[in-house]
Amino acid sequence: MSRLRFTSEFDGRRASIRRRLRRHGGDREAAPQAGTRSEARVRPAGVLAALLVFGLSSACRPAADGPRPTPIPADGEGLDAASVAPEPGLEMRGPADRAGYDIAHYLLELDLSRPASGRFEAIATLRGDVAAGADRVDLDFIGLEVGSVLLDGAAAEFGRGGSVLTIGPFEPSADVTEREIRIEYGGAPENGLFFGEDRDGEPAVFADNWPNRARWWFPSNDHPLDKATARFEVLAPEGFEVIANGRLVERRPGAEGGTTWIWETDSKIPIPSYTMVVGMARFERRPLGEAGCGLSPAAPPDPGGGEACADVSVWALAGDGDYGAERFARAPDMLAYYSELIGPYPYEKLAHVESSTRFGGMENSSAIFYGRGGWEERRMGEGVIGHETAHQWFGDAVSPASWSHLWVSEGFASYFSPLYFEARDGVEAFRSLMTSSREVAVGSDVVGQAIVDSSSNQLFDLLNRNNYQKGAWVLHMLRGQLGDEVFFRGHTRLLRPSSAWRGADRGRARGLRGGFRTGTGVVLRSVGARAGTPATRY
C-alpha cells in the first residue's frame, strides 16, 4: 500500500511531527492537577422526577462473563492518575480533578492512510474554558507519543505521567478564559482505537471507547460530565469509507491519494467522549429510509421545504450488506416510535455499523457500533437494536455526572426496548421479554445490593444485572403504581428539549449539556443510593 497523506496542509507538518515525536518520548513528570468543583446541593422533588431523571448515563450490552481484575477501592489510597497508567475501565480522576478545563469542542485530524501498520498520526485541537486562577490543564491521555503542544498558537510546556498529559504551567487569569490547545501526536494505540482486518483480510479501524478508553487514542476530558461537540477529519486509503458521529460535511481528495472524510456534530448538541467514534473499512452501505420527520431538529433541512427527517442506514462489512438491510428493517420505525414516545431525536442521523467492539452493541451518538460476530453468524437480534436506539435518548442525550448512576441509563434502555415490541408485536411479546428479564434479575448474585454502587473504581464492574434487568423492573413497577398516562407523560415532560439543546446558557451545570433537562432543573438524588452518594445534577 502506498503511503497516502492527510491534506496539503498536513503534508508540510508531517516531517516536523515525526522529529518532535522522537525528541519528546513522553518521559517528563506530570504536573499537579488543577481545579476543583463543589458538590451540587440536593433539593426536594417529586417521586416521579426522582425515579426517572436522577442519573441517566451511558450504556452498552453486558460484557461476557469471565474473570475481571481485582476492583480498586473507591478511595484509591496510594494511587494517583498522574503516576499510574490504569487498566481500561479503572478510573482515578473524579469530577473535581477535571474542573480546570471545560472542553467545548474537539477537532480530530486523523491520518489512517496506513492501517496495516497499526499506527496513525494525528492533531487534536481542543477549545474550551480554563478556570479562573488555573495555571495548567490536565487531560486524560495514555500511551501515544506527543510531538508538540501549542496553547493559543504559542509553544507550551507539557508533561507526561501515568494517564495524564499536563499543559503548563502558564500565566493564570483572574477570569474564566477560552483557550485553544493543539496537540500533535501519534503511534500505535494500545486500546480505544483498534486496527484489524475484515473477513476478507482487508484492513479495518474502529474506535471502542466505553467507559473511559477514548484517552488511549485522543487527549480528552474522558468523563461523561464534560460533553463537547466534535469534528473528525480522517484520511482513508482509496476504496475505504469512514463513519463517525454527526453529519458528513465533505469528502475531498488527499494530497497524494486517498480521501479525507469530514464528519461534524451539531454545534448545539454536545456528546460525551465515550461516544465519540470513527470507523474505517470497505463498507457495504444500505439506506434504510427516513424517520422522526418533524421530530429531528438536528437533521439537515429538507431541500423541498418539508419536515426535516433523520436518515437511518446500515454500514456493513463486506458480504453482510444484504443481511444488515434485512435485520435492521425496523430500525427506522424504532427511531420514529421513540421520537413520539420520548421526545425529539437528538442527532443528525442514525447509522447502524458492523464493527469491532467488545460489546454486543455500543450506543455511540448517531453511529451505533455492533460486534461483528452477530452479523457473521447471522444471529443479530432486534432486542439489541431497540436497546441501543433507546440509548440515543437515555445515556447519550442525557449523561451522568457520576458513573455510579449507570443503572438508570441501562434500566431505561432495557425497559424501553421491550416497550417497542409491546407497541408493534403485542403485549405477549412484552410479557415474554420482561419475564426473561425478571428471571435473570432474581437469579443474580448482585440483586440484593444497592443499584447505585460507588464502591469500586473499576467501571466494568457496573455492567451487572442490577443496572440492566433490575433497573428495567424498577421502572415497570413505577409504571404499575402510577398508571400509563402519568408514567409516560411524566418522563416525556421531564425529558423535554431544553435551552441547553439550543446552545443557550453554556455555563449551566454540565449535566444539562446533554440536550435535555428536568422540567424544573432541580438537583435529584436517586432512590436506592447509598448514604453519601453524590447527587447528579440536571
Side-chain angles (χ1 to χ4, degrees), residues 386-437:
H387 182 101
E388 304 305 330
T389 301
H391 269 311
Q392 301 299 298
W393 288 265
F394 302 119
D396 290 5
V398 178
S399 299
S402 168
W403 283 114
S404 61
H405 290 271
L406 177 65
W407 84 270
V408 183
S409 174
E410 295 298 354
F412 264 87
S414 297
Y415 188 62
F416 274 73
S417 180
L419 285 178
Y420 171 80
F421 298 103
E422 178 184 26
R424 297 296 188 259
D425 300 335
V427 68
E428 288 305 319
F430 172 82
R431 288 173 178 167
S432 176
L433 291 168
M434 291 301 291
T435 297
S436 297
S437 176

Side-chain angles (χ1 to χ4, degrees), residues 157-468:
E157 292 293 320
F158 64 93
R160 301 296 300 275
S163 62
V164 173
L165 168 65
T166 297
I167 316 300
F170 48 78
E171 189 67 27
S173 171
D175 302 311
V176 174
T177 307
E178 183 175 86
R179 309 202 70 166
E180 180 181 278
I181 297 174
R182 180 179 176 277
I183 302 163
E184 296 178 348
Y185 66 99
E190 298 177 16
N191 212 306
L193 188 68
F194 297 91
F195 291 75
E197 297 179 344
D198 66 14
R199 220 172 24 236
D200 296 331
E202 292 282 359
V205 182
F206 290 102
D208 190 31
N209 296 342
W210 197 92
N212 59 354
R213 292 181 291 149
R215 65 191 68 183
W216 264 268
W217 65 279
F218 68 94
S220 58
N221 207 348
D222 196 13
H223 190 281
L225 185 66
D226 189 12
K227 303 172 82 168
T229 56
R231 178 182 172 100
F232 305 88
E233 299 186 5
V234 184
L235 177 64
E238 198 65 47
F240 288 75
E241 296 182 305
V242 174
I243 182 68
N245 312 98
R247 66 184 181 92
L248 181 60
V249 176
E250 182 184 359
R251 285 178 294 180
R252 62 174 180 242
E256 294 186 6
T259 302
T260 297
W261 294 66
I262 302 176
W263 290 86
E264 188 170 40
T265 66
D266 189 283
S267 62
K268 305 177 185 66
I269 307 175
I271 61 177
S273 59
Y274 72 83
T275 72
M276 294 180 183
V277 293
V278 297
M280 186 189 79
R282 293 190 185 273
F283 287 112
E284 293 182 4
R285 283 190 283 168
R286 297 288 191 275
L288 298 176
E290 296 180 331
C293 296
L295 291 172
S296 301
D302 180 76
E307 294 179 323
C309 307
D311 282 324
V312 185
S313 61
V314 159
W315 294 58
L317 297 178
D320 293 337
D322 291 341
Y323 171 75
E326 178 275 325
R327 181 73 292 193
F328 286 82
R330 290 209 287 185
D333 187 53
M334 291 179 180
L335 189 151
Y337 170 75
Y338 292 132
S339 297
E340 291 283 352
L341 181 65
I342 304 169
Y345 177 64
Y347 305 116
E348 303 83 352
K349 56 96 176 46
L350 184 56
H352 297 273
V353 184
E354 182 182 4
S355 71
S356 174
T357 171
R358 67 182 294 169
F359 309 109
M362 178 59 217
E363 70 280 5
N364 309 306
S365 304
S366 80
I368 301 172
F369 282 11
Y370 300 86
R372 57 190 286 190
W375 300 66
E376 295 177 354
E377 299 168 15
R378 301 299 190 256
R379 55 176 173 79
M380 178 68 67
E382 284 192 313
V384 67
I385 302 172
H387 182 101
E388 304 305 330
T389 301
H391 269 311
Q392 301 299 298
W393 288 265
F394 302 119
D396 290 5
V398 178
S399 299
S402 168
W403 283 114
S404 61
H405 290 271
L406 177 65
W407 84 270
V408 183
S409 174
E410 295 298 354
F412 264 87
S414 297
Y415 188 62
F416 274 73
S417 180
L419 285 178
Y420 171 80
F421 298 103
E422 178 184 26
R424 297 296 188 259
D425 300 335
V427 68
E428 288 305 319
F430 172 82
R431 288 173 178 167
S432 176
L433 291 168
M434 291 301 291
T435 297
S436 297
S437 176
R438 179 180 60 200
E439 292 173 353
V440 170
V442 172
S444 168
D445 59 0
V446 296
V447 71
Q449 301 175 12
I451 293 179
V452 177
D453 183 1
S454 58
S455 65
S456 173
N457 286 9
Q458 178 48 260
L459 303 180
F460 285 114
D461 287 349
L462 297 176
L463 298 181
N464 57 44
R465 306 311 178 190
N466 274 348
N467 284 319
Y468 289 82

Side-chain angles (χ1 to χ4, degrees), residues 130-148:
V130 174
D135 66 350
R136 65 194 67 217
V137 167
D138 286 340
L139 298 172
D140 296 302
F141 195 50
I142 298 178
L144 296 171
E145 300 166 328
V146 175
S148 70

Side-chain angles (χ1 to χ4, degrees), residues 67-91:
R68 287 182 177 153
T70 302
I72 303 298
D75 57 13
E77 184 178 356
L79 296 177
D80 189 298
S83 59
V84 177
E87 64 198 43
L90 184 62
E91 184 56 73

